[in-house]
Amino acid sequence: MRNRRIFVFILAVSLFLASCGSNDHAAHNDSPPAADTAKQVVVNAPAFDADSAYAYVGRQVAFGPRVPGSPAQIKCAAWMEGMLKKVCDTVYKQDIHVKGGDGKSLPCINLIGVINPKAVNRILLLTHWDSRPWADQDTRDKDKPILAADDGGSGVGVLLELARTVKSHGLPASVGVDILFTDVEDYGKTEWGEDSYCLGTQYWATHPHIAGYKASFGVLLDMVGAHGAQFPMEGFSMKFAGEIQQKVWQAAGRAGYSSFFPYVPADDITDDHVPVNRLAGIKTIDIINLTPDPERPFAPHWHTHADAMDIIDKSTLKAVGQTLLQVIYEQSANN
Ligand code: AHN
Ligand code: ZN
């Protein structure tokens, strides 16, 4: 069956055609560089159901803002844990407290869903799931929490649907997938310092769910659901894990979503991938919606009350989910 769906061919001809007229990628950084592999396995990844991912975003938003210490935090964590248990082989829960930049002790719930636990070749997929307690970029109700459909809900929606797809389609035993839903990312403020963000991930990176945990690489999703989203090549990802970024952007092209993943370098963003790279030593990139403007790198709904369901676009969820399935099934075909 595998043989029928998957066939190997030499890329020499297509590489030659693809590189015709444009070998200088410094001058044309919106087009992919020539592939550095001589062979590329052509993979037909299963289809990603963006309607289902959208419904999962809606379920989270319906709990209200999932801020640390709220009833919504506990209810949403229980829902996500139940969802992960349906589609993963093992689910770990880290129920701890972390110290906020204001000195408060904050309940923090990290969840890890493991698919194919015995595989050595593992892909870590992570996203934060908490909601920012303040709409500090808004003009009104700045002290109220945001619904965080995009900045919190979207990554979980994509990864729950991805796990469901992998479960129903099957994944060769040679590759494992770990899904990490990390809490208390967005309880940060510039004046408290960069380390006031990403508290759940800082904990996980120093206390992984399995001692000595390693993955072949990691991919962080952050704000992957908005209408008109663009995912340029975030700076820390390029420095820490440039080859992974190339791999994912090329997979996006093969999946048919290169318009969402331009080969354009972007700013360094302090995000959950930084502690995963620095503290856990796992090469990890960030897929994050960024503008071309370094003065205003985030979309206009960022940290405002406009981050609600009507900003979410199924075609963005589809582009990200289908790209990740492409990455996963290419990894399993190449091993
Ligand atoms: C800072 O604002 C320093 N980093 C962006 C991390 C973030 C917040 N991602 C989503 N919300
Ligand atoms: Zn945020």
Side-chain angles (χ1 to χ4, degrees), residues 59-73:
R59 277 297 295 263
Q60 295 165 77
V61 169
F63 289 113
R66 285 81 66 213
V67 303
S70 67
Q73 179 193 32

Side-chain angles (χ1 to χ4, degrees), residues 44-276:
N44 286 312
F48 183 85
D49 184 344
D51 292 328
S52 177
Y54 181 88
Y56 292 153
V57 180
R59 277 297 295 263
Q60 295 165 77
V61 169
F63 289 113
R66 285 81 66 213
V67 303
S70 67
Q73 179 193 32
I74 292 164
K75 286 181 199 158
C76 187
W79 174 74
M80 293 189 299
E81 187 181 11
M83 295 299 287
L84 285 173
K85 281 185 172 162
K86 288 188 199 181
V87 291
C88 296
D89 297 306
T90 322
V91 176
Y92 296 82
K93 182 182 189 180
Q94 296 183 326
D95 206 337
I96 49 128
H97 284 75
V98 293
K99 195 175 173 185
D102 53 2
K104 284 189 185 151
S105 174
L106 306 166
C108 174
I109 305 169
N110 293 333
L111 294 167
I112 305 97
V114 179
I115 300 171
N116 287 356
K118 289 189 187 136
V120 177
N121 184 359
R122 311 202 62 77
I123 302 174
L124 171 67
L125 303 175
L126 69 150
T127 189
H128 82 92
W129 68 273
D130 58 306
S131 305
R132 186 166 183 78
W134 320 284
D136 42 316
Q137 298 296 316
D138 212 319
T139 51
R140 60 184 176 90
D141 290 333
K142 282 170 172 279
D143 55 346
K144 299 229 168 77
I146 63 170
L147 282 169
D150 190 26
D151 190 1
S154 64
V156 172
V158 167
L159 292 183
L160 280 178
E161 177 54 19
L162 179 139
R164 198 180 69 83
T165 310
V166 168
K167 168 83 171 177
S168 70
H169 188 266
L171 181 66
S174 59
V175 170
V177 174
D178 300 300
I179 291 173
L180 167 60
F181 293 156
T182 186
D183 202 359
V184 203
E185 185 270 350
D186 229 343
Y187 197 99
K189 292 188 179 179
T190 313
E191 60 263 38
W192 295 342
E194 303 244 301
D195 284 353
S196 64
Y197 286 91
C198 311
L199 297 180
T201 302
Q202 291 183 46
Y203 178 85
W204 176 85
T206 49
H207 307 79
H209 57 292
I210 296 168
Y213 172 81
K214 289 289 169 207
S216 302
F217 62 92
V219 180
L220 165 65
L221 305 185
D222 192 8
M223 301 185 278
V224 291
H227 178 75
Q230 286 284 292
F231 309 111
M233 303 175 109
E234 185 274 330
F236 282 131
S237 308
M238 199 179 288
K239 281 167 224 162
F240 284 123
E243 70 280 19
I244 308 304
Q245 199 177 45
Q246 288 291 329
K247 181 210 287 276
V248 172
W249 262 240
Q250 289 179 27
R254 287 189 284 272
Y257 294 100
S258 55
S259 65
F260 287 84
F261 292 84
Y263 281 82
V264 171
D267 250 19
D268 297 351
I269 304 295
T270 301
D271 208 345
D272 288 310
H273 63 320
V274 173
V276 178

Side-chain angles (χ1 to χ4, degrees), residues 26-37:
H28 303 273
N29 65 5
D30 55 345
S31 60
D36 52 3
T37 44

